Amino acid sequence: QQPVQSPQAVILREGEDAVINCSSSKALYSVHWYRQKHGEAPVFLMILLKGGEQKGHEKISASFNEKKQQSSLYLTASQLSYSGTYFCGTGATNDYKLSFGAGTTVTVRA
Amino acid sequence: DAGVIQSPRHEVTEMGQEVTLRCKPISGHDYLFWYRQTMMRGLELLIYFNNNVPIDDSGMPEDRFSAKMPNASFSTLKIQPSEPRDSAVYFCASSAGLAGLTDTQYFGPGTRLTVL
């Protein structure tokens, strides 16, 4: 079952903040975040693991609430380059394939 | 590393024809995944391999779809016969470990398939 992402779309001006949420009905082991620009492949942003470990290499932060099976991605002081569709991929405790949400389209305007 | 390589990047074919999509994973990665992306259904996992062995093909839509991985550096996804509803972007991805646990999946550039 796919995780649910919200909102579906958000429009920002440069420098503004946004939060993208991802929730699952399954007990999660990990949450992965990707960004996809139009016509390109999804690019890895961050992985959050059960127990609190977090791996990422961009200036975008995220949180993982294991009890609620929810994750949030925080876009802080957004830049034009942040535009794209953000997907969360969830890895369930008893099913280690990634299931991807429908995506959140972020548009950052000058 | 060159990353995940897919070919062709674009494929236009007529209904009923056979289509073969190709993928070369990142060297050293033990897992290979095939995804399909459409506006209606989003990003769907079709099948994944571990050390060249198909582990889960529950996402393969029908018997018209088949996938093979004859060696660690090459995989194919075949559709025979193709139908217009197969039109989508097909991504191949690879990871060093099982991505649902702790490892990053790296996606190829995708093949945009159009079936007329």
Side-chain angles (χ1 to χ4, degrees):
Chain A
Q1 191 171 2
Q2 283 182 314
V4 177
Q5 284 186 238
S6 63
Q8 286 186 315
V10 60
I11 299 174
L12 303 167
R13 292 208 176 272
E14 269 188 299
E16 292 182 338
D17 303 338
V19 179
I20 301 170
N21 299 303
C22 174
S23 64
S24 173
S25 59
K26 296 183 177 182
L28 298 179
Y29 191 93
S30 65
V31 179
H32 304 230
W33 286 96
Y34 287 80
R35 178 173 61 211
Q36 184 179 30
K37 294 188 181 281
H38 184 69
E40 299 180 8
V43 174
F44 168 77
L45 293 176
M46 179 166 297
I47 179 172
L48 301 106
L49 304 176
K50 187 176 180 179
E53 185 179 355
Q54 179 174 312
K55 304 183 213 179
H57 54 76
E58 289 210 13
K59 296 180 181 178
I60 294 174
S61 61
S63 63
F64 179 20
N65 186 324
E66 300 166 28
K67 291 184 179 179
K68 293 185 177 181
Q69 284 86 252
Q70 293 177 347
S71 177
S72 294
L73 187 73
Y74 305 96
L75 306 181
T76 305
S78 58
Q79 306 169 16
L80 294 175
S81 62
Y82 285 9
S83 292
T85 300
Y86 290 76
F87 293 95
C88 68
T90 54
T93 302
N94 59 351
D95 180 7
Y96 302 123
K97 300 175 293 186
L98 282 183
S99 295
F100 285 92
T104 297
T105 300
V106 173
T107 304
V108 182
R109 295 179 174 166
Chain B
D1 199 315
V4 177
I5 298 172
Q6 290 186 248
S7 64
R9 294 293 309 276
H10 301 273
E11 177 81 30
V12 179
T13 191
E14 293 189 345
M15 183 173 63
Q17 296 298 306
E18 177 179 296
V19 175
T20 299
L21 311 180
R22 298 171 176 79
C23 174
K24 176 179 169 54
I26 293 172
S27 177
H29 281 190
D30 293 333
Y31 289 85
L32 183 139
F33 306 82
W34 282 102
Y35 288 92
R36 178 173 67 177
Q37 186 176 40
T38 61
M39 288 294 293
M40 290 297 295
R41 300 176 68 90
L43 200 56
E44 303 173 277
L45 177 65
L46 301 177
I47 184 171
Y48 79 91
F49 294 84
N50 177 24
N51 292 324
N52 315 336
V53 176
I55 302 301
D56 188 332
D57 64 354
S58 59
M60 296 285 262
E62 324 177 7
D63 291 345
R64 299 183 297 105
F65 285 71
S66 63
K68 294 181 179 180
M69 192 165 185
N71 57 61
S73 59
F74 183 67
S75 176
T76 60
L77 178 68
K78 186 176 292 186
I79 308 172
Q80 166 63 19
S82 59
E83 297 182 3
R85 60 192 167 122
D86 301 332
S87 297
V89 180
Y90 290 82
F91 288 105
C92 175
S94 70
S95 70
L98 194 51
L101 288 175
T102 61
D103 287 296
T104 302
Q105 279 188 20
Y106 295 91
F107 283 78
T111 295
R112 182 173 295 276
L113 174 64
T114 302
V115 183
L116 302 174

